Amino acid sequence: MALLEVKNIRKNFGKTEVLKGIDFSMEKGDVVAIIGSSGSGKTTLLRCLNFLETPDVGTISLDGKVIFNGENHKQLSDAEVRKNRLHFGLVFQSFNLFPQYNVKRNLTLAAELLEFEKIKNSTSEYADKKQASEAISRKADELLRQVGLSEKEKSFPCELSGGQQQRVAIARALALEPDVLCFDEPTSALDPELTGEVLRVIKELKNTNKTMIVVTHEMEFAKNVADTIIYMADGVIEEMGSAQEVFENPKSEKLKSFLKSSFEKI
């Protein structure tokens, strides 16, 4: 059974149809790279998966359970939407760290709020807030070691390079232990020399069996890391397949043109 199954996702903004029926599925531990020109619907798709936008039509299923259905989504309470959102972690282009908090607090804040709510409702594995905070702090330390930033835990975002900020953002997303980790062009705001350090972290996450969706313009990275490539154009999946199929034997003329243009820029 697929971990994530997306069926017929459609999204309009006014009279503009941005997503025109998106279908794909992925297994646990898969890495899917979504490529395509600006305006093709890549980011809108990620935002729909993370419940930051509401699709007009379609279903999203996780581990066999439908967590979104366009036919009855208005019946979902705010609490249900928040619960569904926790299945996905999103790393933004522009980091979106809290500037008033240091690195460690950026990692622990959301996790503490979530765990304290569970304690209040008596669904937490921890007996009290102190015990929960200590466990969350240990987890944050572990994640900072994983992204190579243990020595920066007391630093503030303004004291970090762009690459370091993005690695903190990745650790923050991992702190909530999402089922699917999503990246929206994670290197687009970085200088070329900082891009490699972020891509290395994502590549290492693949080795830990993390399920990931990466919207990226880094073609070599997509080719070397992704299990499946989705090429989007004009709001549809124009072509989908393994990295070898998509990059070495593209069928769509739009994809051929896109790849030619992308590799000429490298």
Side-chain angles (χ1 to χ4, degrees), residues 2 4 7 11 13 16 34 41 44 46 51 56 66 68 102 108 119 138 140 185 214 237 243 260:
L4 176 66
K7 292 184 178 179
K11 178 65 182 176
F13 291 106
T16 304
I34 303 179
T44 299
L46 276 196
F51 292 85
D56 301 306
V66 176
F68 175 85
N102 66 25
T108 60
I119 291 171
R138 289 193 297 271
E185 303 251 8
V214 186
I237 294 179
K260 183 174 184 292

Side-chain angles (χ1 to χ4, degrees), residues 25-38:
S25 63
M26 57 191 301
E27 306 291 334
K28 181 174 175 56
D30 280 354
V31 177
V32 171
I34 303 179
I35 62 174
S37 302
S38 298

